[in-house]
Amino acid sequence: MAENSRVWNAEISAYLGEAGLANFSDLQRHLFNAPVIIYLTVERDVSPWMIYDMGAFSQSILLAAANEQVDTIPAYETAKYPDAVRKIVGIPENELLIGGIAMGYRSEGMINAFHSQRSSVASFLTIKH
Ligand SMILES: Cc1cc2nc3c(=O)[nH]c(=O)nc-3n(C[C@H](O)[C@H](O)[C@H](O)COP(=O)(O)O)c2cc1C
């Protein structure tokens, strides 16, 4: 597991406690009770640059939603069963499913007051002179 995921898991477990974690698992199973999920797809035969493009596009969706006071969760959970997603959403075979972004208005639940720690910029940025 990547270091940031490991830290995030440890932080959220400590924050929610056992009962809170069980609720969080339920929420994940119910796709965060989101009224809307955006699925990102791209044709299979595009250039590898699309990895950059899709990341930037996803980020733009998150920022545009935030600008409208709509909350978002890019989540593996939304695409965990890609065959089912493909069938329900109607994604053709020539398109890759990149992932899903759950959208909606946050509840007052404890999970929505959680703020993950941020790594210091110095821990991932190298400046060459
Ligand atoms: C590609 C990707 C997949 C993610 N999958 C999940 C997921 O399945 N379930 C979940 O609760 N959070 C998931 N997250 C994390 C949340 O979307 C969110 O980024 C995380 O709670 C950190 O939020 P913060 O940066 O505002 O603290 C995922 C994030 C990314 C970028």
Side-chain angles (χ1 to χ4, degrees):
M1 187 186 290
E3 178 64 10
N4 61 343
S5 299
R6 198 190 56 71
V7 170
W8 186 83
N9 269 308
E11 279 175 10
I12 207 153
S13 302
Y15 174 77
L16 290 176
E18 207 170 310
L21 266 184
N23 279 343
F24 186 44
S25 296
D26 266 357
L27 269 178
Q28 302 254 9
R29 261 196 298 284
H30 291 93
L31 304 182
F32 316 98
N33 300 322
V36 172
I37 299 176
I38 292 183
Y39 281 104
L40 301 163
T41 71
V42 71
E43 288 88 353
R44 287 185 192 275
D45 59 357
V46 292
S47 104
W49 281 108
M50 76 86 184
I51 292 170
Y52 177 89
D53 293 341
M54 294 311 288
F57 185 49
S58 300
Q59 180 80 309
S60 299
I61 291 173
L62 307 188
L63 294 175
N67 198 42
E68 300 293 330
Q69 288 77 51
V70 173
D71 296 302
T72 50
I73 311 176
Y76 161 72
E77 206 71 25
T78 60
K80 192 172 177 180
Y81 302 104
D83 292 344
V85 171
R86 287 181 161 283
K87 204 167 151 200
I88 294 164
V89 181
I91 300 171
E93 257 317 298
N94 67 329
E95 289 185 24
L96 279 175
L97 171 59
I98 304 296
I101 301 174
M103 304 183 93
Y105 299 103
R106 72 179 64 191
S107 71
E108 295 293 317
M110 189 182 173
I111 185 67
N112 289 326
F114 172 72
H115 292 288
S116 57
Q117 299 294 313
R118 295 295 190 253
S119 301
S120 68
V121 172
S123 71
F124 58 83
L125 177 69
T126 306
I127 299 175
K128 304 273 184 189
H129 297 280

